[in-house]
Amino acid sequence: MVPNGPGPAVTQASEPVYSDAVYLVDPVPAQQGEHMPRENPCNVSRIPMTHYPPGAGVLVNETTIFAGTYVLNHSAVGLKVNADAAPFFISFSVTPRYPDSVARSSLTVTVRDADTLELVVDDGYNGLYSSDTEKTILLYRPGAYIVTLDGRYVSVAVGMGTKIATSG
């Protein structure tokens, strides 16, 4: 069990694989009435700007630096991430404990700047977010971030790392 302040404890469903780039910190959940950032404030196109002719052999090298699974029952986990390269991905897969219940399984994932605690991006499952159980957050700037997983009756598998396109 991971200590989580005076509230309920977080249960690790599997032993996370930590590296020097990711470690446990106190969670920083979203605050009531806090302004959530626009997903794409610079209006950057999601369409790749580099054109590769067919058969060029474009490869995406994916390096995972963290993988872990947590069971969250009205609890939160904080992870400090040192993203040395961009784009940096945070992928999560949610398994709701009560998918059709009034209990409303939900998850909020917030990413904050580690120095200023300014909210960079947020996503999640149910509640304010869609009911898609698998999602990926991409960060396009290297830096130190605090990722908070704040869940209600869910099991969440988290993976973090970099994706770099190379031509082959």
Side-chain angles (χ1 to χ4, degrees), residues 6 20 129 166:
D20 292 339
Y129 310 100
T166 59

Side-chain angles (χ1 to χ4, degrees), residues 94-126:
V94 178
T95 304
R97 185 189 219 178
Y98 306 110
D100 299 327
S101 172
V102 179
R104 298 289 292 174
S105 296
S106 65
L107 175 73
T108 301
V109 179
T110 56
V111 180
R112 295 178 181 274
D113 183 282
D115 298 325
T116 65
L117 296 183
E118 180 182 353
L119 191 58
V120 175
V121 68
D122 70 303
D123 203 346
Y125 166 78
N126 253 352

Side-chain angles (χ1 to χ4, degrees), residues 21-38:
V22 179
Y23 49 92
L24 281 171
V25 295
D26 289 333
V28 184
Q31 302 298 313
Q32 188 91 16
E34 180 177 27
H35 171 71
M36 296 298 187
R38 287 181 34 216

Side-chain angles (χ1 to χ4, degrees), residues 29-30 72 74-77 106-110 148-152 154:
L72 304 172
H74 284 277
S75 53
V77 169
S106 65
L107 175 73
T108 301
V109 179
T110 56
T148 300
L149 308 169
D150 189 359
R152 311 285 181 270
V154 294

